[in-house]
Amino acid sequence: MLIGRYIYGKLSNDTGVSALVEDRIYPVLLPMDEPYPSIVYTVTNEPLDNNAKQEKASYDRQIVTFHVWADQSQGQQAYDDIDDIDAAIREALDRVEDTVSGVTVEAAYYLGSQDGRDESRGLFLREIRYSITTRN
């Protein structure tokens, strides 16, 4: 369940992603007064081989949801930024197999995305989902 290390290490060191958000990649919660665009991710974890009750699971599957936020006061540019970040994350993660920050990913697959907004804060949102399988 160290997928957060992998996500931060992978995306913060990816030139396409870091050019768009620098190091503004956070687990679960966006810090107050943080500039936009920014990425927040959440993780749902489940063992893939949980039938082997006598042994530790060898693989876990995580459903990772990236929440990409941009300031809607920037108009179309904010939405374009979200599109660019979505594409950069997909380039960095989709169908990869590698080890980053000591975490080995066996498979990563794009599952889809959905647009939204936070009217009270004046933000555009894109939620992007991936299935990531890690080796324990």
Side-chain angles (χ1 to χ4, degrees):
M1 295 204 334
L2 303 174
I3 191 67
R5 290 181 190 174
Y6 177 87
I7 291 167
Y8 185 80
K10 182 75 171 177
L11 296 184
S12 66
N13 288 303
D14 182 87
T15 56
V17 174
S18 62
L20 298 164
V21 299
E22 298 171 0
D23 64 349
R24 295 185 304 274
I25 304 165
Y26 305 100
V28 184
L29 186 64
L30 183 66
M32 292 295 287
D33 302 320
E34 192 64 19
Y36 301 101
S38 297
I39 299 171
V40 175
Y41 63 90
T42 58
V43 178
T44 302
N45 186 62
E46 59 187 48
L48 275 179
D49 48 3
N50 61 357
N51 291 330
K53 303 219 187 260
Q54 288 77 22
E55 300 176 18
K56 178 178 138 183
S58 300
Y59 296 93
D60 287 333
R61 179 178 59 203
Q62 292 86 21
I63 303 300
V64 179
T65 303
F66 295 97
H67 307 266
V68 180
W69 297 97
D71 185 346
Q72 73 183 28
S73 69
Q74 295 177 350
Q76 184 62 42
Q77 182 59 51
Y79 195 79
D80 292 347
D81 288 347
I82 287 176
D83 281 340
D84 293 343
I85 295 165
D86 186 353
I89 291 172
R90 193 164 185 178
E91 181 68 27
L93 289 181
D94 196 29
R95 305 211 179 266
V96 299
E97 297 176 26
D98 64 359
T99 300
V100 174
S101 302
V103 180
T104 300
V105 167
E106 296 286 326
Y109 300 101
Y110 173 77
L111 298 175
S113 66
Q114 177 177 332
D115 288 350
R117 66 183 182 276
D118 182 331
E119 290 186 33
S120 67
R121 293 174 37 194
L123 300 174
F124 288 134
L125 164 68
R126 177 154 311 146
E127 294 178 341
I128 310 159
R129 294 177 309 123
Y130 283 83
S131 174
I132 300 177
T133 302
T134 56
R135 185 173 358 143
N136 294 328

